[in-house]
Amino acid sequence: MMLFGTISQRLCGLQKLPWSCDSRHFWGWLNAVFNKVDHERIRDVGPDRAASEWLLRCGAMVRYQGQERWQKDYNHLPTGPLDKYKIQAIDATDSCIMNIGFDHMETSSICC
């Protein structure tokens, strides 16, 4: 446990990754990891569910068709048939979504 604490303290203090050839900061790299599109996941759970997972993972909120409340918690995503929950609206205020993650939206209902 002590080793993990030492490593995490060192990582948090980094301005950029030591093996990086450019000036990308650690947090920018981490955000890019959160935004990476997983086409296999889209195929497995459907486009709206995968897009919801991506948006919530990045700190955005999602509202589904026929529902009034905003979904904010990744751990409380609704379950059911893959096509039951269609994204109606997105609030990405103060989220870390990046353009590399927009492919999540390509086949989701929000684009239609």
Side-chain angles (χ1 to χ4, degrees):
M1 187 67 160
M2 192 165 198
L3 177 62
F4 177 74
T6 304
I7 292 171
S8 65
Q9 286 175 347
R10 288 184 184 169
L11 281 176
C12 290
L14 287 177
Q15 285 295 321
K16 65 180 186 176
L17 297 174
W19 57 86
S20 175
C21 297
D22 60 9
S23 61
R24 182 186 304 249
H25 288 52
F26 174 73
W27 299 114
W29 172 81
L30 187 60
N31 287 339
V33 170
F34 281 151
N35 280 274
K36 187 173 188 282
V37 178
D38 184 351
H39 294 284
E40 192 172 316
R41 182 71 179 157
I42 293 170
R43 194 172 46 252
D44 290 346
V45 300
D48 284 276
R49 173 66 187 220
S52 297
E53 290 174 358
W54 163 62
L55 290 162
L56 294 173
R57 189 171 53 240
C58 292
M61 294 187 296
V62 177
R63 190 172 63 216
Y64 299 105
Q65 291 175 0
Q67 294 189 353
E68 292 297 317
R69 71 177 185 88
W70 287 89
Q71 181 67 41
K72 302 182 238 188
D73 189 346
Y74 182 92
N75 294 315
H76 291 109
L77 275 168
T79 58
L82 296 181
D83 58 347
K84 182 177 180 183
Y85 295 96
K86 300 289 185 190
I87 297 173
Q88 178 182 4
I90 298 168
D91 182 350
T93 306
D94 296 327
S95 71
C96 69
I97 64 169
M98 300 169 73
N99 63 336
I100 61 171
F102 288 164
D103 283 349
H104 284 98
M105 305 305 296
E106 196 171 295
T107 55
S108 72
S109 61
I110 196 72
C111 293
C112 302

